[in-house]
Amino acid sequence: MEDLYPSRKNSQPEILERKDPVIHTDRSKDNQAPISTEQLDSYEKNGFLQIKNFFSEEEVSDMQKAIFELQDSKMDVDSKKVIREPESDDIRSIFHVHKDDAYFKKVANDQRILDIVNHLLGSDVYIHQSRINYKPGFKGKEFDWHSDFETWHVEDGMPRMRAVSVSIALSDNYTFNGPLMLIPGSQNYYVSCVGETPEDNYKDSLKKQKVGVPDEESLRWLAEKGGGISVPTGKAGSITLFESNTMHGSTSNMTPYPRNNLFMVYNSVENRLVEPFSGGNARPEYIAVREKQAMYSG
Ligand code: 6CS
Ligand code: FE
């Protein structure tokens, strides 16, 4: 398959134009969407959309109970799906929760979310990746600037930009406890990064990403083009949907307040993974789902 978004191939970075729509349902059908035209406009323009108070307080406390019970149950467990912080034993992320845990499978199937992502992606969807990023107080380290799509394209073989991440805030996201930072409009440009993908890169990249992190010049260009950096803060229970190629990152958390987010990544069933464009081995199923699974439809 032709590689429309080459990266980690050249010695110089390059900024390529996006070749896919941001919203894959024709805008003449806005009235079929469960969100407003203004919200669709905002997502199309910025590459992300925050919806506050999406979940009820009761749902939030159920989810918080679930993520902390899971965290406790894995505290002393050595599992590939449990990623620990680079400088401590604290749990950084737990992957594949949509499949391994009945409760999170229900969250992944939440019809309110499915109706939105089906419209944005213009098709039925399946879960490409799910994870809980705990970002514990004092110990939670940064997630350097990156486009998820760049990794999913190069290391997982995701052909086109037709996936969306739904970040569910399960603790209050303040300006100071390492919230998600996004560059508005960056979804429209693809930063072709330098550097080869090391064998089994995921064993290190999920702790600290090195390849696929854009150069400072490209990041400066994107931020200036987009008019700065957005930090959607808000109470637990809000969600932030962001397009697969929107440049994002988050700082270390040096406050007592954890920043727990649950991520469900939805991919179009018409955009299933092929061989990694890096030419390397496919990443494990718990990071990048390949098995044919039940489609989620709106
Ligand atoms: O490699 C990945 O798939 C993961 N890495 C980051 C930094 N964001 C997306 C995803 O969790
Ligand atoms: Fe990411």
Side-chain angles (χ1 to χ4, degrees):
M1 179 184 278
E2 188 192 357
D3 185 353
L4 295 175
Y5 294 108
S7 184
R8 308 182 202 178
K9 299 228 190 273
N10 302 325
S11 57
Q12 290 301 319
E14 192 182 353
I15 297 184
L16 308 174
E17 294 277 337
R18 179 188 184 98
K19 299 178 175 67
D20 294 283
V22 175
I23 295 178
H24 294 262
T25 297
D26 191 277
R27 295 300 311 270
S28 64
K29 296 180 179 163
D30 277 9
N31 61 339
Q32 295 174 12
I35 53 178
S36 68
T37 287
E38 292 69 31
Q39 288 173 308
L40 290 168
D41 287 345
S42 174
Y43 179 82
E44 190 167 58
K45 176 170 176 279
N46 297 316
F48 64 90
L49 174 71
Q50 183 187 38
I51 304 177
K52 291 189 189 271
N53 305 314
F54 188 84
F55 289 100
S56 68
E57 281 182 17
E58 189 191 354
E59 287 172 319
V60 171
S61 59
D62 285 351
M63 280 192 270
Q64 287 169 330
K65 185 165 166 287
I67 66 165
F68 295 134
E69 281 174 358
L70 187 61
Q71 188 180 33
D72 292 346
S73 72
K74 301 290 183 193
M75 205 53 87
D76 304 324
V77 168
D78 185 14
S79 156
K80 290 175 294 191
K81 298 173 186 174
V82 179
I83 311 300
R84 297 189 186 266
E85 289 294 345
E87 292 163 16
S88 77
D89 239 3
D90 287 50
I91 292 179
R92 177 176 174 87
S93 308
I94 298 178
F95 279 77
H96 208 240
V97 295
H98 73 284
K99 197 73 189 290
D100 296 346
D101 186 297
Y103 178 80
F104 292 113
K105 184 171 183 169
K106 197 160 70 69
V107 176
N109 269 289
D110 189 299
Q111 200 60 50
R112 294 166 293 180
I113 296 177
L114 293 178
D115 288 344
I116 298 174
V117 298
N118 275 280
H119 189 86
L120 295 179
L121 300 181
S123 72
D124 285 337
V125 299
Y126 71 95
I127 293 279
H128 162 66
Q129 180 184 100
S130 66
R131 67 196 187 273
I132 303 165
N133 283 352
Y134 285 89
K135 196 173 271 195
F138 299 117
K139 302 266 184 34
K141 294 297 175 209
E142 72 279 359
F143 287 84
D144 216 322
W145 287 108
H146 64 283
S147 149
D148 289 340
F149 177 77
E150 192 273 349
T151 292
W152 297 339
H153 181 73
V154 172
E155 298 191 50
D156 298 333
M158 184 181 282
R160 306 298 289 258
M161 297 176 181
R162 196 170 177 184
V164 57
S165 288
V166 179
S167 170
I168 304 170
L170 292 179
S171 54
D172 295 348
N173 277 229
Y174 304 103
T175 52
F176 46 70
N177 65 335
L180 191 62
M181 303 187 293
L182 305 118
I183 300 180
S186 59
Q187 75 282 3
N188 293 320
Y189 304 97
Y190 181 70
V191 180
S192 179
C193 298
V194 300
E196 284 260 306
T197 306
E199 196 59 33
D200 293 343
N201 183 41
Y202 66 92
K203 291 181 176 167
D204 300 316
S205 68
L206 299 178
K207 267 182 187 293
K208 180 164 182 49
Q209 187 170 352
K210 292 194 179 85
V211 288
V213 176
D215 60 292
E216 292 177 3
E217 209 35 56
S218 299
L219 285 167
R220 185 189 321 280
W221 185 88
L222 287 175
E224 283 169 3
K225 186 91 180 161
I229 292 170
S230 293
V231 183
T233 56
K235 274 176 9 58
S238 64
I239 65 171
T240 301
L241 301 107
F242 58 103
E243 208 282 329
S244 63
N245 185 49
T246 304
M247 193 60 67
H248 64 286
S250 59
T251 59
S252 292
N253 183 5
M254 58 187 285
T255 75
Y257 313 107
R259 191 227 65 187
N260 313 127
N261 287 353
L262 165 62
F263 289 84
M264 293 289 173
V265 181
Y266 296 89
N267 189 23
S268 166
V269 291
E270 289 157 33
N271 192 39
R272 284 189 187 278
L273 307 186
V274 296
E275 284 312 300
F277 287 90
S278 62
N281 299 325
R283 296 202 295 177
E285 181 73 13
Y286 66 85
I287 297 177
V289 170
R290 289 177 181 276
E291 68 167 11
K292 293 273 182 217
Q293 54 178 307
M295 288 191 287
Y296 300 93
S297 49

